[in-house]
Amino acid sequence: MFIHRIHLTLGGLFALFLSSCATNDTIQYEMEEWELSISSKGQITHITDKFSEEDHCPGQISSPVLSLKLDSSILMPAKAVISDNREIISFYFDHGIRADVRIMKKKRYITFELIAVSDDKNIDAVIWGPYAVNIRKSIGETIGIVQDDLFTLGLQALNLKTLGGYPWKDNDHLPQLDIFEQEDFNDLEKGKRGVLYSVEAAKPADYGSSLQAYTRNRKHDRIIANWQHDYYVAPAYDDGGIVGSKIALFGCPTDSTLAVIGQIEIAEGLPHPMINRAWVKTSPVINSSYLIMNFTEQNIEECLSYAKKSGFNYLYHGHPFESWGHFPLIRSQFPNGWDGMKTCVKKAEAEGIYIGTHTLTNFIHTTDSYVTPVPDRRLAKVGSSTIVRAIDNAATAVEIKSPLFFNQFKNNHLQSVVIGDEIIRYGTVTDSAPWILKDCTRG
């Protein structure tokens, strides 16, 4: 739920040697199953599959190792200089910007990490790629792979602030189907977008496909279009900025793709979830069917018997919570609260059955204690303004300095503001100054 806020005064040969430069203008990195060449202009010029000896770079298409987003402009590197030990490449851009990238070559993949930038104040995002390739038989847009029958190329983001995809929009996602605007469909018809995904670590292109990732500069508040609001404050977030953005590129035979992704996860310290001692991506039980039945403390034995007779090992509750947010259990179903749920889980475990529940963790009910009686200060807010005149407990009109965030009604169904510890609902906003929230319902 999104609530507006008003400020009062609120303010081995496996050693994988780096080969010699093919020419003075390129440097070549050689992995076990593929090779990568980078030019003195900071472009990836060759990605060669050692099995077929095919170069998967499609001719004249630009593939910058690193590019920068400044406002609406994308800066490509003008020059790239490699260090003597060939582990640091310095990229030089217009506006006197220099970015240093550490390159680490592993057995089956190579990593790029931004370790320094001369001045990031005006940099909105650092972009890895897009890396153009001529493969397009199968494209995994979320996981970041492109493959044909014999060979796979992939890109993996290696930390939380590095996102697979491209900063098409300031809200870090493409339009979702349920809030698609007509112009987005028009773009699809014109071929401007090939997919309807919120992540495009890999995407189709006329020449084949591309791989890309980026890190947003979140050091400062940004006003963006988001959630059908033209103006929405994306607050500053201390994630260390763009320095530390890191990716891995890999190439391998197609039948080894999952194994290589697993190796990267383990070697780079990424989450590598297991179930029954098997990695979830290869676990034979990960796609098991389950029985949906609203079990309770009272009927758990009956539900378990149905699951066993039907051959299910998973029993799933579709609606066990009184509200979303803190997720208290429905008392009539679980009079002993979470201890009662725990008892159900143990009874299921004894029968070799696993328990699951349905949650929507991005949503909060207005009846949840995050909202009432005192709103949590961490609730997401569209924006804020300053109160112009003092109000008392009975006031039903509130004069504010700016209506910018408050007269957006397209996705503002609750029409609520927060003043201190009070949520106030308002009806309308005046069409001209003085800007007044009218018909307020207090408390």
Side-chain angles (χ1 to χ4, degrees), residues 265-324:
E265 288 184 356
I266 293 171
E268 300 298 327
L270 299 177
H272 189 74
M274 311 285 283
I275 183 169
N276 295 342
R277 299 183 179 180
W279 185 33
V280 294
K281 287 185 172 65
T282 57
S283 169
V285 303
I286 195 62
N287 291 318
S288 298
S289 299
Y290 50 89
L291 176 64
I292 301 176
M293 194 170 185
N294 289 350
F295 60 87
T296 67
E297 288 185 54
Q298 295 81 17
N299 71 0
I300 182 63
E301 288 86 358
E302 180 183 11
C303 294
L304 291 174
S305 69
Y306 284 127
K308 291 183 67 176
K309 290 176 182 178
S310 304
F312 292 108
N313 296 113
Y314 295 87
L315 177 62
Y316 181 86
H317 197 305
H319 179 56
F321 305 111
E322 286 186 351
S323 69
W324 301 332

Side-chain angles (χ1 to χ4, degrees), residues 401-422:
K401 185 175 181 179
S402 170
L404 182 67
F405 301 105
F406 302 89
N407 56 9
Q408 305 177 105
F409 296 107
K410 192 172 183 179
N411 190 28
N412 181 13
H413 308 297
L414 293 177
Q415 296 178 213
S416 299
V417 300
V418 175
I419 302 178
D421 289 335
E422 181 185 4

Side-chain angles (χ1 to χ4, degrees), residues 242-263:
I242 58 176
V243 171
S245 181
K246 188 176 182 181
I247 64 164
L249 281 179
F250 71 90
C252 65
T254 292
D255 58 8
S256 300
T257 302
L258 275 180
V260 174
I261 292 174
Q263 291 165 13

Side-chain angles (χ1 to χ4, degrees), residues 314-342:
Y314 295 87
L315 177 62
Y316 181 86
H317 197 305
H319 179 56
F321 305 111
E322 286 186 351
S323 69
W324 301 332
H326 283 84
F327 296 97
L329 293 168
I330 297 173
R331 283 289 172 178
S332 61
Q333 297 182 12
F334 300 94
N336 293 300
W338 285 102
D339 287 337
M341 175 66 81
K342 184 176 181 179

Side-chain angles (χ1 to χ4, degrees), residues 46-57:
H46 303 285
I47 299 176
T48 304
D49 166 7
K50 286 186 176 182
F51 299 95
S52 67
E53 297 185 354
E54 179 180 356
D55 181 3
H56 292 290
C57 285

